[in-house]
Amino acid sequence: DIVMTQSPDSLAVSLGERATINCKSSRSVLSSADNKNYFAWYQQKPGQSPRLLIYWASTRESGVPDRFSGSGSGADFTLTISSLQAEDVAVYYCQQYYNSPLTFGGGTKVEIK
Amino acid sequence: QVQMVASGGGVVQPGGSLTVSCVASGFNFNSYAMHWVRQPPGKGLEWVAFTRYDESKTYYRDSVKGRFTISRDNSKNTLFLHMSSLRAEDTAVYYCTKGQASGSFIIDYWGQGSLVTVSS
């Protein structure tokens, strides 16, 4: 199984400041067949179901604010929130869908400082 | 809009069986892959099972293989997860989720979840 390791476990950021979350996979999720990274980010707000933010490592899902961006390739990925808003308080999960079983990172809790 | 309403959760004894169902609306259910993902109380997300739009391929995590079965009734826009030989570690909120395409592993929508508690 591909193991996904997120860091940090939690972070507190001031409103309007940048938040950065990292995720490493135990093997590359970049496909040589189509040159795509089979990697996604999800947001789960308190008491809610998760929501897809980013797929193919950097493609923003429809309706996701452009302050959210994904970057990275191979086995190292980053989610950046460029200017943290109060409504961004949530747990963020990375996920690989390169192969079965699909696996998630342990989550990063983002709070307001 | 896309909606998936899960039901059938509850308390079941270890070794028992339970089926959770999910009725979908707002999209062409019979054209999309579907997944079940679970979340133990206070913990992270764990993928459970996948079915292509036509059930031609199904996949499971190792810990549920032989105990859980994912199925669908495309005429009723309904996804099922039949669970047997349940264990305490199966206790979780079970989310019905939609794939981005007919065979897609990308999960683009999540339902509200149904809590399954395995306890004596």
Side-chain angles (χ1 to χ4, degrees), chain B residues 98-113:
Chain B
K98 171 186 168 290
Q100 199 183 55
S102 61
S104 177
F105 276 2
I106 298 172
I107 295 172
D108 62 358
Y109 285 96
W110 299 61
Q112 97 286 7

Side-chain angles (χ1 to χ4, degrees), chain A residues 44-49:
Chain A
Q44 186 175 31
K45 293 182 178 180
Q48 295 186 16
S49 301

Side-chain angles (χ1 to χ4, degrees), chain A residues 39-87:
Chain A
F39 182 90
W41 289 100
Y42 295 87
Q43 174 194 60
Q44 186 175 31
K45 293 182 178 180
Q48 295 186 16
S49 301
R51 169 197 184 192
L52 175 65
L53 293 178
I54 304 279
Y55 57 98
W56 301 129
S58 60
T59 301
R60 205 177 298 115
E61 173 71 333
S62 174
V64 173
D66 61 7
R67 63 180 180 273
F68 290 93
S69 63
S71 61
S73 184
D76 282 279
F77 300 91
T78 300
L79 175 69
T80 301
I81 309 173
S82 60
S83 175
L84 191 75
Q85 304 300 302
E87 61 264 32

Side-chain angles (χ1 to χ4, degrees), chain B residues 27-81:
Chain B
F27 64 101
N28 230 2
F29 180 78
N30 59 16
S31 298
Y32 289 89
M34 298 293 290
H35 303 250
W36 287 100
V37 179
R38 67 187 180 185
Q39 185 169 35
K43 295 191 176 178
L45 302 170
E46 191 173 79
W47 173 83
V48 175
F50 161 91
T51 175
R52 278 180 56 93
Y53 73 105
D54 58 357
E55 294 187 284
S56 58
K57 282 194 191 295
T58 57
Y59 299 109
Y60 300 90
R61 67 180 300 104
D62 282 350
S63 63
V64 308
K65 275 181 194 170
R67 301 189 300 121
F68 288 14
T69 302
I70 187 172
S71 63
R72 60 194 298 161
D73 183 342
N74 285 346
S75 69
K76 296 182 178 177
N77 290 358
T78 303
L79 180 72
F80 302 97
L81 184 68

Side-chain angles (χ1 to χ4, degrees), chain A:
Chain A
D1 297 3
I2 298 176
V3 177
M4 309 298 286
T5 304
Q6 284 183 237
S7 62
D9 291 337
S10 63
L11 75 161
V13 176
S14 300
L15 287 173
E17 295 301 303
R18 178 184 300 258
T20 302
I21 301 168
N22 299 299
C23 182
K24 288 184 186 292
S25 56
S26 60
R27 54 163 288 192
S28 173
V29 297
L30 173 63
S31 169
S32 57
D34 56 13
N35 201 36
K36 287 183 172 182
N37 287 287
Y38 284 59
F39 182 90
W41 289 100
Y42 295 87
Q43 174 194 60
Q44 186 175 31
K45 293 182 178 180
Q48 295 186 16
S49 301
R51 169 197 184 192
L52 175 65
L53 293 178
I54 304 279
Y55 57 98
W56 301 129
S58 60
T59 301
R60 205 177 298 115
E61 173 71 333
S62 174
V64 173
D66 61 7
R67 63 180 180 273
F68 290 93
S69 63
S71 61
S73 184
D76 282 279
F77 300 91
T78 300
L79 175 69
T80 301
I81 309 173
S82 60
S83 175
L84 191 75
Q85 304 300 302
E87 61 264 32
D88 301 334
V89 168
V91 178
Y92 294 83
Y93 294 94
C94 62
Q95 183 220 23
Q96 66 80 18
Y97 49 92
Y98 185 83
N99 61 15
S100 175
L102 281 64
T103 48
F104 293 87
T108 296
K109 187 174 186 178
V110 174
E111 300 172 307
I112 305 295
K113 187 188 291 183

